[in-house]
């Protein structure tokens, strides 16, 4: 994961330079940062161009719609949401947030919503600064998803300033690994619920090994 700090992006404090500096101060577990800034860069932190509009996509099995960048980003992020829906909890109206035009945010990584290359699943439940809100069995599924996607997606729960609802594409558009993962999972999108067992010992070992390599 490669997060880009405020000093390398035009993340402007809503009120003053002091407010922007405050955005870098850590908050304790369970606390959410109230500091906001306005994003003015033409790209989000992961190198994707900001979008003026983005199409809506249906998350399989849920009936919920989320707006995302077309192509590999949509394929991969829809897969994340699909597995959450089937393996963690059913998604309901308003649970999944994707592309937005709202440039006000708390952390720079939230700029990835502006490019349609990130989603937030239940951001009200899991806001910026809050950590430890997922059950152990839910974390097992999250770790399995990240391992299956081979580092193409980063989870906000692993960030220095966490946001456990946040999932983002970390590679730039057209990257070979991005395309390869999108092709790999494209054949699984119609398999339905219960076809993946994140608790299978082989998958658990693979997920643990992946977490160790990327921590």
């Amino acid at each position: 994961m490669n997060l880009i700090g405020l000093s390398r992006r035009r993340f402007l404090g809503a009120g003053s330079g002091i407010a922007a500096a405050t955005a870098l101060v850590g908050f304790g577990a369970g606390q959410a940062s109230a500091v906001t800034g306005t994003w003015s860069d033409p790209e989000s932190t992961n190198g994707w161009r900001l979008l003026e509009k983005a199409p809506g996509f249906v998350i399989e099995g849920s009936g919920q719609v989320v707006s995302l960048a077309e192509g590999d980003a949509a394929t991969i992020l829809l897969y994340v949401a699909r597995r959450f829906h089937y393996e963690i909890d059913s998604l309901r109206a308003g649970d999944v947030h994707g592309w937005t035009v709202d440039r006000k945010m708390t952390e720079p990584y939230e700029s990835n919503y502006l490019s349609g290359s990130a989603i937030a699943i239940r951001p009200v439940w899991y806001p910026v600064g809050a950590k430890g809100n997922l059950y152990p069995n839910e974390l097992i599924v999250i770790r399995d998803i990240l391992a299956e996607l081979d580092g193409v997606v980063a989870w906000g729960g692993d960030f220095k300033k966490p946001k456990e609802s946040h999932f983002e594409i970390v590679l730039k558009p057209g990257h070979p690994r991005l395309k390869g993962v999108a092709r790999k999972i494209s054949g699984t999108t119609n398999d339905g619920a219960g076809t993946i067992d994140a608790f299978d010992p082989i998958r658990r070992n693979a997920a643990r090994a992946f977490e160790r390599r990327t921590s």
Side-chain angles (χ1 to χ4, degrees):
M1 178 183 66
N2 182 23
L3 292 180
I4 302 175
L6 297 187
S7 62
R8 295 182 58 195
R9 290 287 178 180
R10 299 176 207 140
F11 188 63
L12 306 177
S16 66
I18 295 176
T22 306
L24 292 174
V25 178
F27 287 73
Q31 292 180 301
S33 171
V35 179
T36 60
T38 302
W39 192 259
S40 62
D41 199 280
E43 293 183 352
S44 52
T45 59
N46 59 1
W48 289 62
R49 297 288 298 181
L50 271 56
L51 301 177
E52 295 183 0
K53 59 181 180 178
F57 297 88
V58 176
I59 300 167
E60 181 188 327
S62 72
Q64 305 307 313
V65 176
V66 60
S67 295
L68 298 166
E70 292 184 273
D72 296 334
T75 298
I76 292 168
L77 294 172
L78 288 170
Y79 185 75
V80 173
R82 166 186 178 257
R83 286 199 58 185
F84 187 102
H85 172 72
Y86 282 145
E87 300 174 53
I88 294 179
D89 193 23
S90 298
L91 296 173
R92 302 168 184 85
D95 276 354
V96 184
H97 298 207
W99 170 78
T100 181
V101 295
D102 185 0
R103 291 176 178 246
K104 291 183 178 180
M105 59 198 65
T106 302
E107 288 294 307
Y109 58 75
E110 293 181 306
S111 66
N112 296 323
Y113 304 131
L114 297 168
S115 61
S117 59
I119 58 172
I121 301 177
R122 295 178 176 164
V124 175
W125 294 26
Y126 315 121
V128 173
K131 191 172 179 63
N133 296 297
L134 294 168
Y135 290 110
N137 62 307
E138 297 172 336
L139 285 172
I140 287 173
V141 174
I142 296 297
R143 293 298 175 194
D144 186 80
I145 293 170
L146 297 176
E148 183 177 20
L149 298 180
D150 194 25
V152 168
V153 169
W155 176 49
D158 290 329
F159 295 174
K160 184 175 181 180
K161 181 64 71 63
K163 183 178 181 180
E164 293 181 327
S165 57
H166 179 86
F167 298 87
E168 66 177 45
I169 303 290
V170 298
L171 302 177
K172 291 186 176 182
H175 191 285
R177 185 149 51 97
L178 179 71
K179 290 184 171 297
V181 168
R183 283 196 300 268
K184 180 182 75 172
I185 64 175
S186 291
T188 69
T189 55
N190 295 316
D191 292 344
T195 58
I196 295 175
D197 181 7
F199 300 87
D200 176 82
I202 296 176
R203 293 187 72 102
R204 289 287 292 119
N205 288 336
R208 290 190 189 99
F210 178 82
E211 184 179 2
R212 287 194 297 269
R213 290 197 308 271
T214 57
S215 62

